[in-house]
Amino acid sequence: KQQDEWFFLELRASESGLLSDEYLAKTKKILTPEQFAQEYECDFAAALPGAFFGREMVAAEREGRITGVQVDAHLPVFTAWDIGYRDDTAIWFYQVIRDEIHVIDFHASSGQTIKFYADLILERAKVGKYQYACHWLPHDAKAKTLASGGKSIIEQLAEHLGLSNLAIVPNLDVQDGIQAARLALQRTWFDEERCADGLEALRQYQREWDDDKKTFRERPRHDWTSHPADAFRMLAVAWRAEEPKVVTPPVVIDGLRVGQTNVTMNDLWEEHDRQHSRTARI
């Protein structure tokens, strides 16, 4: 789909008209909803066993929210991190336009230093003309380690990025964070090219499998998808809708005048109650 030398054609049974409604109705009685989505609707993420965000990612694809997302140079850019000490560190770059989340970039790598990630942030600012507002870090970024000379992650990043635009995401339970991510995904737009690896991680983020009970556990499986998904949880908890600023002019009571007036006796009583006790005389 992403390579020009290949031909791509997607024919969903619900849209192509190649199969009758009667045939599809009978097939739905035989297959699970996930199996039907895979075999007849080309929704492969929805059929991934134990996937946390399968339905949300399919909806984003169908609604055209995985596409080319342009950076708005007039709006600030936020980042949401998950920091891996022995494996990947993942970073999502996003902007908020009213109640929409526009994810414009993604990065994940392992075995790198704090300075590497700080330099990457600053380089993206130059190349992409990002104007950063806040870098959201996970709760454990405050922990100090002996290997870093007794400094926390946030302290190390502050040496390169400054402390004023670094913040810690509230520490939520993993399941609450996953639910927040599901809700956030319903209003998120992704740049398909720059976020390709992160998108694949969100599609494949799964529960652990319990061999004894032959069922999925509630907790996530730890693999290459974990850090991108955890970083998106940070985004989902941290983001705020852009509220339009409404300025309400103060109401000034100017008293009664001879002739036409808009002031009522009720207005006078309200003004009087603010300035005097109820037992005072007019």
Side-chain angles (χ1 to χ4, degrees), residues 212-264:
D212 295 331
K213 297 181 179 179
K214 305 301 179 186
T215 186
F216 288 100
R217 299 187 178 99
E218 284 301 312
R219 64 174 178 264
R221 184 178 70 185
H222 187 78
D223 57 15
W224 72 274
T225 69
S226 300
H227 289 289
D230 288 345
F232 193 85
R233 283 197 294 112
M234 300 302 106
L235 183 159
V237 174
W239 88 280
R240 293 290 183 274
E242 181 185 275
E243 297 292 343
K245 296 181 180 179
V246 178
V247 178
T248 303
V251 177
V252 178
I253 304 299
D254 58 358
L256 288 172
R257 300 189 302 272
V258 176
Q260 187 176 2
T261 178
N262 293 324
V263 180
T264 67

Side-chain angles (χ1 to χ4, degrees), residues 44-188:
F44 302 103
L48 188 64
F52 280 106
F53 305 134
R55 294 184 184 276
E56 289 77 14
M57 297 307 295
V58 167
E61 183 81 42
R62 281 194 159 192
E63 294 168 9
R65 291 187 282 110
I66 299 178
T67 180
V69 178
Q70 299 299 318
V71 180
D72 191 328
H74 301 290
L75 292 177
V77 174
F78 301 84
T79 64
W81 300 49
D82 187 71
I83 300 170
Y85 298 96
R86 297 182 181 86
D87 45 14
D88 283 0
T89 288
I91 308 171
W92 293 96
F93 299 72
Y94 68 99
Q95 295 182 301
V96 178
I97 301 178
R98 291 193 180 274
D99 61 347
E100 293 180 353
I101 305 168
H102 291 195
V103 181
I104 57 176
D105 214 337
F106 172 80
H107 174 84
S109 58
S110 61
Q112 301 293 345
T113 64
I114 292 298
K115 186 179 185 304
F116 169 86
Y117 293 110
D119 290 344
L120 181 143
I121 291 293
L122 295 174
E123 181 63 24
R124 296 284 171 97
K126 293 179 182 178
V127 176
K129 298 181 179 179
Y130 298 169
Q131 300 180 41
Y132 294 118
C134 187
H135 304 290
W136 289 101
L137 306 176
H139 190 261
D140 55 2
K142 295 187 296 185
K144 300 177 184 290
T145 62
L146 293 175
S148 62
K151 292 184 177 181
S152 65
I153 296 293
I154 193 170
E155 289 172 329
Q156 296 174 65
L157 279 173
E159 294 177 0
H160 305 281
L161 303 178
L163 187 60
S164 61
N165 60 349
L166 299 177
I168 299 295
V169 176
N171 190 23
L172 286 188
D173 177 81
V174 172
Q175 292 301 323
D176 291 336
I178 288 173
Q179 183 60 26
R182 286 181 173 137
L183 294 174
L185 283 169
Q186 297 174 19
R187 60 180 71 203
T188 301

